[in-house]
Amino acid sequence: MKEGPDIAQIGALIGDPARANMLAALTGGRALTATELAGVGGITVQTASTHLAKLEAGGLLTQRKQGRHRYFTLADEAVARLIESMMGFAAGRGHLRHQPGPKEPALRKARICYDHLAGDYGVRMLDSLIASGSIDAVGDGLALTEKGEGDLKRIGINVGDLRSSRRPLCRSCLDWSERRAHLAGSLGKALLSSFLDKGWARRTAESRSILFSPEGDRQFLRLFPVDP
Amino acid sequence: MKEGPDIAQIGALIGDPARANMLAALTGGRALTATELAGVGGITVQTASTHLAKLEAGGLLTQRKQGRHRYFTLADEAVARLIESMMGFAAGRGHLRHQPGPKEPALRKARICYDHLAGDYGVRMLDSLIASGSIDAVGDGLALTEKGEGDLKRIGINVGDLRSSRRPLCRSCLDWSERRAHLAGSLGKALLSSFLDKGWARRTAESRSILFSPEGDRQFLRLFPVDP
DNA sequence: GCGATGCTTCGGTTACGATCGAACTATGAA
DNA sequence: TTCATAGTTCGATCGTAACCGAAGCATCGC
């Protein structure tokens, strides 16, 4: 009874709908202000403020004040992974909130998952990288091959730079909409960044969905084909 | 706001201390009755009953009635993984409940994690299997090698039988006490079963800890050496 | 300096859920 | 049948936490 980590505390932190919505929104990777978060939580700023304080005390959030704003972000990638894994679990049990609204399809097609690409396109990209021999999949682990390193260089991603960070290069992340893995880790981040830099896609204002331009769409599908 | 799976529901389910304790106890893998669970939760049976009903409605638990008892177990392995991952997360944030009681050290040395070995011994076993070339570790994924298949056969584990199940053979599972990976999956289960069958170790009544006999301890350490 | 904006703190209300005693159902034993 | 054990359902109590209005700080633009 008194053994092990206290799972109830963080469960309770995530267990409030307003807080859960805020956390989910922050899984989008960008920092949000208290007022914005109050919006996504459907509550007033006062209430949001107390919620945010609790989340911060619990170690799930960090804040950075900038002028008269306070920007909140998830404390680190581990929090993002926890949230995503809970989403995957909830989706599997049919605990859905979505009356399939207008934004839903876009979200399933391509969205941001902390800092990398998720949704149909995310899964497709990983499948394609594996099929082309750029990434080795062993069990549920992923590893970049030499061929992959060369291929990535050709589209402007220098893997050497990424290796210097302590963060793992490749990591598989379970996609809640597709129920299959997509690519996370510093490489996943670098790939998404490059798409955004190239103008192939852009992030939307308040949602987690990623919008591909017609041109970007073509380029993406050409670069990551799926075998027939 | 209305997009994605409802993470708050399961958060709330886990967020109650009594329920969290029950779930943690069930991570021990064996089925427990409502009264036993009331015990670990520190509540009366009436209260436990309502909690258990909620957990079942939420899809986290299943019950099987046998005579006048009702045996509760985690609904499936996904639930166990979710709980364990939350434990790992909570441990990392220092959300500990343990005033390091008497049972704590035993729990850190060897315990059961749903159906496989965790704790110091679990981590050691995986390390040793990797060092000896029985298991390939790529990224955070694990794969059994041909050599490993042979070695396992020699200690009485027929991998062929395990492959027939849909469940993955090797899976890495983050250990909350060691903060490193141990071996899960059907192979992890088979290994622990064999230790128990051989009488090297036994499960304890109400706790998740695994007790090795002096002889079993010797055999285990001989079989899974760590290089100096 | 002044007002406007972003956010927190305080106080009081409200609602929900955890809790348990008591009564009720079901299975097993004698 | 009767008694005992395991469990659920009901009803009532109680505590806590979510919530918002109002007031209080802090920072910016002017």
Side-chain angles (χ1 to χ4, degrees):
Chain A
M1 189 173 8
K2 276 187 205 62
E3 27 183 80
D6 190 357
I7 188 182
Q9 268 187 44
I10 53 174
L13 281 176
I14 303 177
D16 179 85
R19 283 197 293 260
N21 283 333
M22 299 196 229
L23 288 169
L26 287 171
T27 310
R30 56 170 43 139
L32 297 175
T33 67
T35 347
E36 287 170 329
L37 287 168
V40 309
I43 48 180
T44 62
V45 271
Q46 309 94 293
T47 312
S49 182
T50 66
H51 281 311
L52 291 168
K54 284 177 190 174
L55 289 172
E56 196 183 1
L60 301 190
L61 255 48
T62 49
Q63 59 163 303
R64 193 175 68 235
K65 57 185 304 192
Q66 207 166 94
R68 53 183 161 180
H69 295 274
R70 288 198 185 189
Y71 285 96
F72 290 85
T73 44
L74 299 186
D76 54 36
E77 203 200 342
V79 181
R81 275 211 305 278
L82 178 67
I83 304 291
E84 278 288 327
S85 81
M86 288 185 72
M87 283 196 173
F89 180 88
R93 311 273 126 167
H95 285 204
L96 294 184
R97 231 177 350 172
H98 72 127
Q99 42 254 51
K103 287 186 295 187
E104 251 270 328
L107 216 57
R108 283 185 184 273
K109 180 183 172 193
R111 68 175 177 279
I112 195 166
C113 170
Y114 194 51
D115 59 8
H116 54 269
L117 185 63
D120 178 31
Y121 271 35
V123 170
R124 179 196 170 108
M125 182 172 77
L126 178 56
D127 284 348
S128 177
L129 286 168
I130 292 174
S132 72
S134 293
I135 286 187
D136 246 0
V138 173
D140 51 355
L142 303 175
L144 189 65
T145 62
E146 284 194 30
K147 172 178 184 307
E149 188 155 352
D151 287 354
L152 287 169
K153 189 118 195 174
R154 224 159 298 132
I155 61 170
I157 292 180
N158 189 349
V159 177
D161 298 347
L162 301 178
R163 281 197 212 282
S164 58
S165 101
R166 237 181 349 171
R167 183 177 175 192
L169 193 64
C170 297
R171 193 186 260 287
S172 89
C173 178
L174 190 67
D175 200 290
W176 57 258
S177 58
E178 300 295 313
R179 308 283 300 272
R180 297 181 45 212
H182 61 246
L183 178 65
S186 61
L187 182 56
K189 174 180 177 171
L191 277 162
L192 175 58
S193 299
S194 86
F195 302 155
L196 298 175
D197 287 347
K198 287 185 179 122
W200 291 3
R202 61 186 176 76
R203 312 175 55 169
T204 53
E206 284 275 314
S207 164
R208 294 173 57 191
S209 60
I210 301 253
L211 292 182
F212 275 76
S213 70
E215 169 65 10
D217 218 81
R218 259 199 17 241
Q219 295 284 354
F220 180 89
L221 297 177
R222 184 184 57 78
L223 203 54
F224 303 106
V226 286
D227 40 302
Chain B
M1 188 170 14
K2 277 191 205 58
E3 29 182 81
D6 191 356
I7 188 182
Q9 268 187 44
I10 53 175
L13 282 176
I14 302 177
D16 178 84
R19 285 197 291 259
N21 282 333
M22 300 197 232
L23 288 169
L26 287 171
T27 310
R30 58 169 42 136
L32 297 174
T33 67
T35 350
E36 288 170 328
L37 288 168
V40 309
I43 48 179
T44 62
V45 271
Q46 310 95 295
T47 313
S49 182
T50 66
H51 281 312
L52 290 169
K54 282 178 192 174
L55 288 172
E56 196 184 1
L60 301 190
L61 256 48
T62 50
Q63 59 163 304
R64 193 175 68 236
K65 58 184 307 191
Q66 206 167 92
R68 52 181 162 180
H69 293 276
R70 288 197 183 188
Y71 285 96
F72 290 86
T73 44
L74 299 186
D76 54 38
E77 203 199 342
V79 181
R81 274 210 306 279
L82 177 68
I83 304 291
E84 278 289 326
S85 81
M86 287 185 73
M87 282 196 172
F89 181 87
R93 311 273 126 168
H95 284 205
L96 294 184
R97 231 176 352 171
H98 72 127
Q99 41 254 55
K103 288 186 295 189
E104 251 269 330
L107 216 58
R108 283 183 183 275
K109 180 182 171 195
R111 68 175 177 280
I112 195 167
C113 170
Y114 195 51
D115 59 8
H116 54 270
L117 186 63
D120 179 31
Y121 271 36
V123 170
R124 179 196 170 106
M125 182 172 78
L126 178 57
D127 285 348
S128 178
L129 286 168
I130 291 174
S132 73
S134 292
I135 286 186
D136 247 359
V138 173
D140 51 354
L142 304 174
L144 187 65
T145 63
E146 283 192 30
K147 172 179 184 308
E149 188 155 351
D151 287 354
L152 287 169
K153 190 120 196 175
R154 224 159 299 133
I155 62 171
I157 292 180
N158 188 348
V159 177
D161 298 346
L162 301 178
R163 281 198 213 282
S164 58
S165 98
R166 239 183 347 175
R167 184 176 174 193
L169 194 63
C170 298
R171 193 186 262 286
S172 90
C173 178
L174 189 67
D175 199 290
W176 58 258
S177 58
E178 301 295 313
R179 310 281 301 272
R180 298 181 45 214
H182 59 246
L183 178 66
S186 60
L187 182 56
K189 173 179 179 172
L191 278 162
L192 176 59
S193 298
S194 86
F195 303 154
L196 298 175
D197 288 347
K198 288 186 179 117
W200 291 3
R202 60 185 177 78
R203 312 176 55 169
T204 53
E206 283 275 314
S207 164
R208 294 173 56 192
S209 61
I210 301 253
L211 293 182
F212 276 76
S213 71
E215 169 66 11
D217 218 80
R218 260 202 12 245
Q219 296 284 354
F220 181 89
L221 296 177
R222 184 184 58 76
L223 202 56
F224 302 106
V226 285
D227 41 303

